[in-house]
Amino acid sequence: MRAARLIKMVLLLQSRPSMTAAELARELEVSERTVTRDAQALSEAGVPVYADRGRAGGYRLIGGYRTRLTGLARGEAEALFLSGVPGALREMGLDDAASAARLKVSAALLPSLRDASRTAAQRFHLDAPGWFQEPRTPELLPALAEAVWDDRVVRVAYRRGSGDAADRDAVVERELEPYGLVLKAGVWYLAARVRERGFRVYRIDRFTSVEDPADGEQFDRDEEFDLPGFWEERAAEFARAILRAEVVVRLTPDGVRQLPYATDRASAREALEPAPDPDADGRVTVTLPVESEDVAYTQLMSLGPEAEVVAPDALRERFARAARRLSGWYG
């Protein structure tokens, strides 16, 4: 533990002209007294750490000293490629590996390039979760992430989230080969292969337990498996699968323009292509795939007078009741 901290301290000092004790303590997550002891230990070991006294003082390396401890470990190299998503790294338990990798890269750079990571971070930032929702880190995410990196078979208990009412929320047990993790709009998913059943997608917040087989079994990864392509295909299948109903809607020109922003964009595009012929009032009638009548009511209500529901009759009557209530309020 201390050896790793001493190495990190040397790399920090090698990547910057000097650092105060407070800065080092913050980076190393220790006290300033520990920083002082570590600096003395490095000096006794032959690393030329020099302490500048005074209020503006700090620690620096002298004599152009450069450590050769800049080779990236495999985990650090893998984490480095994910360093643009710091929140995701933290949730997977990889922030320490990414920090060490960035330090090693910074220490290996020419002095004129060592501020590259800082200048990039000032200009680009990825915030994955959607608006108006509190992101939650699944408790079992680090364990699954470790299994993904190690190509290790896991036994899991998983809470269903769909299906018949009798099956919904039932807990099932599976033995999975975890292939990859996907972060979609703040929600973590696992792409895994179930033996003799093929690949499946699981929401990680529905796992109730994750265990290693007794023998620590590993699986042979299919090198042709393409995680981005697999996810794109499954996401499109999911989007199509949830559109189980249809509504007929008559839209004004403004309603046509607003429809993709009020409903699923793919279903709006499907409804509006090819472009339907307008009637005498300039309105067009389209058949719109929707998840359910309840969802359609919420979505189409946002269009106000720019959309008239023609069918089904029950949904049309629901809009008529809402219109009568609005008329009573606004006169």
Side-chain angles (χ1 to χ4, degrees):
M1 181 73 175
R2 190 189 185 198
R5 189 175 71 242
L6 292 174
I7 291 172
K8 186 173 182 179
M9 184 174 180
V10 173
L11 292 171
L12 283 167
L13 293 174
Q14 185 171 312
S15 64
R16 308 179 193 181
S18 68
M19 296 182 69
T20 65
E23 290 172 337
L24 283 167
R26 186 167 55 252
E27 291 281 353
L28 300 172
E29 298 180 350
V30 295
S31 66
E32 293 186 31
R33 181 173 297 181
T34 299
V35 168
T36 301
R37 289 198 295 265
D38 285 351
Q40 182 177 353
L42 287 171
S43 181
E44 291 173 354
V47 178
V49 178
Y50 181 79
D52 292 315
R53 305 298 178 183
R55 295 180 60 185
Y59 293 91
R60 58 187 175 88
L61 294 175
I62 60 175
Y65 178 85
R66 296 185 65 79
T67 176
R68 296 182 180 275
L69 298 172
T70 53
L72 293 179
R74 180 174 181 83
E76 294 168 348
E78 290 169 336
L80 187 61
F81 285 102
L82 294 171
S83 59
V85 280
L89 278 170
R90 188 166 52 251
E91 292 177 5
M92 288 189 291
L94 295 173
D95 48 341
D96 286 342
S99 176
R102 286 192 294 268
L103 275 174
K104 289 182 178 181
V105 170
S106 180
L109 292 174
L110 293 172
S112 60
L113 300 177
R114 286 180 189 161
D115 66 342
S117 62
R118 180 180 62 82
T119 56
Q122 289 174 339
R123 289 163 173 80
F124 300 100
H125 176 68
L126 175 62
D127 185 10
W131 289 105
F132 313 119
Q133 60 181 2
E134 186 68 25
R136 296 181 181 178
T137 303
E139 181 181 349
L140 297 173
L141 175 60
L144 286 167
E146 186 177 341
V148 168
W149 287 119
D150 294 342
D151 294 339
R152 194 172 66 249
V153 175
V154 291
R155 292 196 182 104
V156 302
Y158 184 77
R159 178 171 44 81
R160 293 181 185 272
S162 60
D164 297 334
D167 293 336
R168 194 174 298 126
D169 293 331
V171 175
V172 298
E173 294 185 353
R174 294 282 186 271
E175 190 168 279
L176 304 179
E177 297 177 354
Y179 265 68
L181 298 169
V182 176
L183 178 60
K184 169 71 172 178
V187 179
W188 283 96
Y189 296 88
L190 173 71
R193 183 166 59 186
V194 186
R195 290 172 180 173
E196 300 180 358
R197 297 189 183 185
F199 287 95
R200 299 286 190 273
V201 174
Y202 300 88
R203 272 186 64 140
I204 292 181
D205 57 7
R206 291 183 182 153
F207 285 104
T208 59
S209 70
V210 175
E211 299 177 354
D212 294 334
D215 56 358
E217 179 185 0
Q218 290 186 296
F219 63 92
D220 294 324
R221 174 176 287 265
D222 181 356
E223 297 300 331
E224 294 184 0
F225 177 78
D226 174 27
L227 180 60
F230 170 80
W231 177 258
E232 182 179 2
E233 180 181 336
R234 289 304 172 91
E237 289 177 1
F238 173 76
R240 289 193 299 270
I242 65 172
L243 301 177
R244 303 185 182 94
E246 290 183 343
V247 298
V248 180
V249 189
R250 190 173 291 123
L251 301 166
T252 67
D254 280 344
V256 170
R257 286 190 291 271
Q258 296 173 26
L259 186 65
Y261 303 99
T263 66
D264 175 72
R265 291 185 179 234
S267 60
R269 185 169 57 249
E270 178 181 334
L272 295 171
E273 293 179 356
D277 295 327
D279 61 16
D281 297 324
R283 298 192 298 174
V284 298
T285 302
V286 299
T287 299
L288 179 70
V290 294
E291 183 175 347
S292 67
E293 290 188 17
D294 285 340
V295 172
Y297 176 80
T298 302
Q299 293 175 336
L300 296 175
M301 182 61 76
S302 66
L303 297 181
E306 310 306 329
E308 175 195 357
V309 173
V310 178
D313 292 340
L315 184 59
R316 179 178 175 85
E317 177 55 31
R318 191 172 175 181
F319 271 88
R321 290 196 301 271
R324 288 193 291 269
R325 291 176 63 193
L326 288 171
S327 179
W329 289 341
Y330 292 102

